[in-house]
Amino acid sequence: MTATLRPHDLLWLTARDALEGVTDAWVDEIWHTGLPVVVRRDVASNGRVPVGVRGMRREQRAAAWVKPEHVTRVVSPEQLVEPQTLLRSPFISQPPVQLALQLAQLRFAWCWGVTGSTAYALATGIPVLHATSDLDLLIRAPQPLSHSELARWQQYLSGGLCRADTQVETPNGGFALAEWLRDARVMLKTNHGPRLVSDPWHREE
């Protein structure tokens, strides 16, 4: 696998033993290669990719590592919001998917996608969504984005069908959009841990 893997990408692996460093016993009982793992933030270790394993219960989350050559398929958050993909989903009646479909029919000045349980359900067909599920969203922002444009996005979500949380991805890490719009500083999630910054696009802060 030569593609650049980014946080929130879903990965399918070649074999069970492709998962390294797992200490949680439930992973052996539940996880198999038909289920994706998700790229997480951490410092790369000997070329390995940091990933998270999702169980069937909310508290079942495990950290692991994989070598890139053991990745057979990658699905990014952006790939899951193509309107026809959403319309064909068995979960189209669920509020998070309905809201994602509404967003997919609008034009924005950035690339965006879905993460979290909605992404997992759309990618696998496994019914992890329920009536009160949130919609987790991701905006790609390699360059600074307009505060007013992002405020309009947030305003649109505030009247949506379900609670929606947006994370903005910069070259330096990701931050919560609602926090950035509300406060002068924001907690930036990086591979080396969280940092409180005033400009999430400014590398030297």
Side-chain angles (χ1 to χ4, degrees), residues 133-147:
S133 291
D134 297 347
L135 175 60
D136 295 310
L137 295 158
L138 176 74
I139 288 176
R140 301 286 185 195
Q143 302 294 330
L145 296 176
S146 161
H147 187 284

Side-chain angles (χ1 to χ4, degrees), residues 123-175:
T124 65
I126 296 174
V128 295
L129 292 177
H130 48 79
T132 59
S133 291
D134 297 347
L135 175 60
D136 295 310
L137 295 158
L138 176 74
I139 288 176
R140 301 286 185 195
Q143 302 294 330
L145 296 176
S146 161
H147 187 284
S148 60
E149 288 294 320
L150 288 171
R152 275 194 283 273
W153 164 280
Q154 188 72 3
Q155 183 64 31
Y156 184 87
L157 294 178
S158 67
L161 298 167
C162 63
R163 175 183 168 84
D165 294 308
T166 303
Q167 179 162 281
V168 180
E169 283 286 322
T170 79
N172 303 323
F175 64 89

